[in-house]
Amino acid sequence: MIPLGHYLIVSAILFAIGTAGVFLRRNLITILLSIEIMLNAVNLTFVAFGRAQGNVDGQIITFFVMTVAAAEAAVGLAIVIALYRHRESLNPDAFQSLKW
Amino acid sequence: MPDTILFYLFAGIAIGASTLVIGQRNPMYSIMLLITSFGALSALYIQLDAPFVAMAQIIVYAGAIMVLFLFVVMLLNAPQEDAAVWDRTHPLRRPGLGRFGALLAGLLIVQLVWTLLRVNEASAAVGARGDVAAISSVRSVGRVLFTDYMFAFEATSILILVAMVGAVILAAREPGR
């Protein structure tokens, strides 16, 4: 059987990749994708801990995280569309002024 | 033994695809690679006796959320990341600082792996406790979801409603423009 720690290591690596993506990429859509990677890393942790404890609570928390991720993607992409309409750019450094 | 081989195979696919996601300049390729990563993660969920989460991962994440991302990428028609003036003049974009940040991220991974390999609880087999039939059945997931987590479930429906209204208002074209 696979030890619990190996699932946690995979999850930690995925979370670090997502964090690096948020800081390194200069594209709003890729930054949102990196946030999805981080959410999935946390989901894997929840399911692995729930299985190690022998109950279904981890799966249920994962279900709620997926719902929040769907809401976050819908609102985030709407903001991206609104920003692109104003500046014709997806670079986050293009949006420095609070009002235009 | 086949369990172990499959675990390392799918974990490798998930990590490799996620690394390539943040290495691409074209967001279209990033989305396709992220769908690959989600497929490998759902295989890991099946290994953890969570078939409901695995199917929800495929249907909700790869099927709905990623299609929404694809739709927005095609709608905006901006395939390339633009290396604009901001990239060259921004004080945080100097190469030395980028390498320092990458070094810190690598050190974080090394530290986490080193710690997790040393904790006794983390080296116990993950499937040792609990009844597999009860954990993996959708019936027991649904029973706990609609009794213990009833309030959270109802609050989630309001969250979805608010997100829908917010998305419509944010993306709607302002009148008179």
Side-chain angles (χ1 to χ4, degrees), chain A residues 6-61:
Chain A
H6 287 197
Y7 284 102
L8 300 183
I9 288 169
V10 172
S11 167
I13 293 173
L14 283 178
F15 195 89
I17 291 171
T19 318
V22 170
F23 284 119
L24 293 176
R25 290 267 64 120
R26 299 287 93 190
N27 186 328
L28 285 175
I29 290 176
T30 319
I31 288 174
L32 280 175
L33 289 177
S34 303
I35 294 173
E36 299 290 333
I37 294 177
M38 285 197 270
L39 285 169
N40 269 282
V42 176
N43 278 350
L44 183 63
T45 315
F46 273 127
V47 175
F49 271 127
R51 182 68 192 88
Q53 293 292 319
N55 56 36
V56 295
D57 291 29
Q59 298 181 43
I60 288 166
I61 300 289

Side-chain angles (χ1 to χ4, degrees), chain B residues 14 26 28 56 67 74 99 103 132 136 143 146 151 160 173:
Chain B
N26 190 338
M28 197 73 95
V67 169
M74 289 175 178
R99 275 192 218 106
L103 177 73
V132 177
S136 62
R143 184 170 291 137
F146 289 112
F151 179 74
I160 294 283
R173 205 170 275 279

Side-chain angles (χ1 to χ4, degrees), chain B residues 19-32:
Chain B
T19 315
L20 288 173
V21 165
I22 67 166
Q24 295 292 329
R25 288 204 165 268
N26 190 338
M28 197 73 95
Y29 295 150
S30 292
I31 291 167
M32 292 302 173

Side-chain angles (χ1 to χ4, degrees), chain A residues 1-10 12-14 16-18 20-27 29-30 32-34 36-37 39-41 43-44 47-75 77-82 84-91 93-94 96 100, chain B residues 3-4 7-8 11 14-15 18-19 21-25 27 30-31 34 38 41 44-45 47-50 52-53 56-57 61 65-66 68-69 72-73 75-78 81-82 84 86-87 90 93 109 112-113 116-117 121-127 129-130 132 134-135 140-141 144-145 149 152-153 156 159-160 163 167 170-174 177:
Chain A
M1 291 299 286
I2 304 117
L4 171 64
H6 287 197
Y7 284 102
L8 300 183
I9 288 169
V10 172
I13 293 173
L14 283 178
I17 291 171
V22 170
F23 284 119
L24 293 176
R25 290 267 64 120
R26 299 287 93 190
N27 186 328
I29 290 176
T30 319
L32 280 175
L33 289 177
S34 303
E36 299 290 333
I37 294 177
L39 285 169
N40 269 282
N43 278 350
L44 183 63
V47 175
F49 271 127
R51 182 68 192 88
Q53 293 292 319
N55 56 36
V56 295
D57 291 29
Q59 298 181 43
I60 288 166
I61 300 289
T62 303
F63 169 78
F64 287 127
V65 172
M66 279 183 192
T67 321
V68 172
E72 170 251 319
V75 176
L77 288 172
I79 292 173
V80 167
I81 290 176
Y84 189 80
R85 201 175 280 154
H86 279 289
R87 282 292 168 94
E88 294 287 316
S89 169
L90 286 177
N91 193 323
D93 293 331
Q96 288 175 330
W100 66 73
Chain B
D3 270 9
T4 316
F7 170 77
Y8 287 115
I15 291 172
S18 301
T19 315
V21 165
I22 67 166
Q24 295 292 329
R25 288 204 165 268
S30 292
I31 291 167
L34 197 56
F38 287 168
L41 271 174
L44 290 185
Y45 290 145
Q47 279 204 308
L48 282 167
D49 300 319
F52 169 71
V53 176
Q57 174 89 8
Y61 256 121
I65 299 181
M66 284 303 118
L68 185 64
F69 272 95
V72 170
V73 169
L75 179 74
L76 297 184
N77 197 15
E81 190 165 327
D82 46 347
W86 308 289
D87 268 3
H90 200 276
R93 300 301 296 168
I109 293 178
L112 280 170
V113 169
L116 284 172
L117 286 178
E121 285 81 5
S123 61
V126 72
R129 291 165 68 177
V132 177
I135 291 169
S140 60
V141 172
V144 178
L145 181 62
Y149 292 90
F153 186 80
T156 305
L159 171 78
I160 294 283
L170 281 169
R173 205 170 275 279
E174 290 160 37
R177 289 179 71 107

